[in-house]
Amino acid sequence: MSHSRGRGLEAGALSLTDTVVMAIADVAPTYSLAATTAVLVAAAGTAGPAALLYCAIPMAGIALAFSCLSRIDVNAGASYSWVGRTLHPFLGFVSGWALVVSATLFMVAGSLPAGSLTLALFDEELAESTALSTVVGAGWFLLMLGVVLGGARLTVRAQLLMSGVELAILLLFAVPALWHAGQARPFDWSWLGTARFDGVSGFASAALVAAFYYWGWDVACNLSEETRDSRRTTGPAGLIGLGVVFVLFEVYTIAVTTVLTPEEIADGGTNALAALGEAVWPGWGGRVLAVAVMLSTIATLETTLIQVTRSLFAMGRDRTMPAALGRVHPRWNTPWVAIVVVGAVALVMLVAANALGTVGDILSDAIQAIGLQIAVYYGLAGLAAVVAYRRVLLRSPLHLLLGGVGPLLGSAFMFWVFVESLGELSGAAVAIGLGGLAAGVPPMLWYWRRGSEYYRPARLDATRSVPTEYDGSPKGPAASPHPYEGLPTDF
């Protein structure tokens, strides 16, 4: 399939540093810790650090899969394109749809805390109001929608500011939090072992929550069509981002577990980091960390919008979703129709969620449902890498490890977590997770019957990779209006 339909995204707009920042920002380390620590502790207790460790290892395998695949197919749809061209187009659509649904759910899971955290800076009682949190969160969401609409360069500038302040605050608190004198319990190395999990099913439930922690680093691959030298940079950007957030997650999960009691963590709910800050530096520590959480939440709303709209752009371009989603704004080079549609759907869901319960209840179900969908599209991408590189795996031990063993183990882990956790999750979380995936079946069948070329793909094979001199910048092959047209491993 050609990329020649209409105007494309802005090639060469981002550098390696930009995409690393975006990868870290989309994981949202501070937000993930604040919103998910209480959920993780409820699922794993003091085994929380172990859940993050043992989920990071297969997640690194998935990151290797994304890195390998991004070298041979530059596509804003990322796993949607790769899975469709290696395993089956139906599975490719499911992969892309899982990302779209999980990211749209996150607009609710992220906007509500953004509102409540903003209100908490002024009045703690106001932050308890789901209605007020919805209004303020919707305001932040609309602001980020405008930034994303303004183009990749504007988006990155905003990220550098918000994520820079966020990471500076996290680094400032890291050491005093770990060595805080008033500990609720001393650190024990068994927290990094497997003995503290409540059996296999307990580990699976904790791993599903941990998968939500790490989700987002793959936004670097969704930005590949807008990144310079993308075949070399987008994969490493995701790996670097994953490594940075792993260290932050372990440090702060251990700190929260040592400094706060289980009751304090549960009472803190979506504001566990503020409770940690208050315990470490009474008077102002909680407020400073609350600012970091707010910035992280707003920043990840922006990057998640980037990820879902680029995926929808690829689907619209391929005619597996309405073709209008593939339209690019003539001035800003952004998929403006996809941005407007996602914004409208997310706002409707945000208002609807207001009637369903408290911020904490909504977050808990949404996080677990998103975890199911993440497991699906990450698992499929791991298998896709093995299939795409199958003819070169035996060329060297490094090829076998990076292109075969790592992605395959990561994929197997994701599917195991998906199946094992189904019996442990709440009915609402399972219904949201599986129902969201099932909602993609009608459009998939509709556009398949209409003859979308996506369902007759050119197979993706690492032995037929593109010339290494291609760099995704506005010179050379990219000087034409459609820089990816004619490359042998692209549609």
Side-chain angles (χ1 to χ4, degrees):
M1 177 176 290
S2 169
H3 287 269
S4 60
R5 292 190 179 101
R7 185 183 178 90
L9 301 171
E10 185 180 2
L14 307 177
S15 67
L16 172 62
T17 302
D18 294 335
T19 48
V20 169
V21 169
M22 296 296 280
I24 295 172
D26 202 30
V27 176
T30 318
Y31 165 77
S32 297
L33 286 162
T36 321
T37 296
V39 182
L40 181 64
V41 170
T46 53
L52 290 168
L53 171 63
Y54 296 123
C55 191
I57 296 169
M59 191 64 77
I62 301 300
L64 284 171
F66 273 74
S67 182
C68 290
L69 290 164
S70 66
R71 292 184 67 86
I72 58 174
D73 183 18
V74 173
N75 194 297
S79 62
Y80 154 79
S81 171
W82 305 331
V83 173
R85 296 182 59 190
T86 52
L87 304 181
H88 194 280
F90 282 4
L91 292 176
F93 184 90
V94 168
S95 181
W97 184 259
L99 188 153
V100 168
V101 173
S102 58
T104 306
L105 281 174
F106 179 78
M107 302 304 170
V108 177
S111 296
L112 282 168
S116 63
L117 287 163
T118 304
L119 291 169
L121 294 177
F122 303 97
D123 189 328
E124 291 286 347
E125 291 186 5
L126 289 177
E128 297 298 321
S129 168
T130 306
L132 277 177
S133 297
T134 300
V135 172
V136 177
W140 281 121
F141 176 72
L142 287 172
L143 179 61
M144 292 301 100
L145 199 73
V147 172
V148 170
L149 189 62
R153 295 178 192 273
L154 177 62
T155 302
V156 167
R157 291 191 187 104
Q159 277 303 334
L160 286 170
L161 175 62
M162 291 186 289
S163 297
V165 174
E166 171 199 353
L167 291 175
I169 292 173
L170 282 180
L171 293 173
L172 177 69
F173 272 81
V175 174
L178 282 177
W179 274 270
H180 181 60
Q183 294 182 338
R185 63 178 73 78
F187 171 72
D188 192 318
W189 285 103
S190 68
W191 294 358
L192 296 173
T194 58
R196 290 181 177 263
F197 290 109
D198 184 18
V200 173
S201 60
F203 171 69
S205 298
L208 194 71
V209 177
F212 176 82
Y213 270 83
Y214 291 115
W215 176 50
W217 50 266
D218 50 304
V219 70
C221 296
N222 293 103
L223 287 166
S224 61
E225 293 187 31
E226 298 156 90
T227 303
R228 293 192 294 275
D229 197 14
S230 61
R231 297 185 187 276
R232 298 187 185 91
T233 57
T234 54
L239 284 163
I240 293 169
L242 180 62
V244 170
V245 297
F246 165 70
V247 173
L248 291 172
F249 286 154
E250 285 292 359
V251 166
Y252 271 88
T253 302
I254 290 171
V256 167
T257 309
T258 55
V259 174
L260 303 179
T261 65
E263 292 76 20
E264 288 172 328
I265 296 171
D267 291 342
T270 59
N271 213 11
L273 275 193
L276 175 66
E278 189 64 29
V280 173
W281 281 331
W284 62 277
R287 286 187 174 273
V288 172
L289 272 180
V291 170
V293 176
M294 184 187 72
L295 287 173
S296 179
T297 308
I298 297 165
T300 197
L301 282 176
E302 183 190 72
T303 50
T304 306
L305 273 167
I306 283 275
Q307 193 168 26
V308 67
T309 54
R310 268 44 176 191
S311 296
L312 285 173
F313 162 77
M315 289 174 152
R317 181 175 60 190
D318 292 344
R319 304 297 199 268
T320 58
M321 290 285 279
L325 295 171
R327 292 179 187 165
V328 173
H329 194 279
R331 179 179 176 185
W332 300 318
N333 295 103
T334 52
W336 67 273
V337 176
I339 292 170
V340 170
V341 168
V342 168
V345 171
L347 284 175
V348 169
M349 291 177 61
L350 182 59
V351 173
N354 181 40
L356 297 179
T358 66
V359 174
D361 293 337
I362 295 166
L363 268 181
S364 179
D365 287 336
I367 286 169
Q368 292 173 329
I370 290 170
L372 287 174
Q373 292 155 0
I374 294 167
V376 168
Y377 89 85
Y378 276 173
L380 288 172
L383 287 180
V386 177
V387 173
Y389 277 79
R390 65 191 183 281
R391 299 181 193 278
V392 300
L393 292 181
L394 299 181
R395 288 184 180 177
S396 72
L398 195 61
H399 277 84
L400 182 61
L401 177 64
L402 301 184
V405 175
L408 186 60
L409 288 178
S411 176
F413 179 82
M414 291 297 162
F415 287 129
W416 174 80
V417 167
F418 177 89
V419 172
E420 191 67 30
S421 61
L422 282 177
E424 300 296 316
L425 300 182
S426 68
V430 173
I432 294 169
L434 298 186
L437 291 175
V441 174
M444 177 176 68
L445 295 177
W446 173 261
Y447 285 98
W448 170 64
R449 287 177 63 87
R450 294 189 65 179
S452 168
E453 293 177 39
Y454 173 82
Y455 294 104
R456 298 186 300 276
R459 308 305 295 178
L460 192 59
D461 190 334
T463 59
R464 298 194 301 271
S465 61
V466 299
T468 55
E469 64 267 22
Y470 172 73
D471 65 359
S473 64
K475 62 180 184 293
S480 70
H482 315 295
Y484 306 104
E485 188 174 10
L487 296 177
T489 58
D490 291 324
F491 283 156

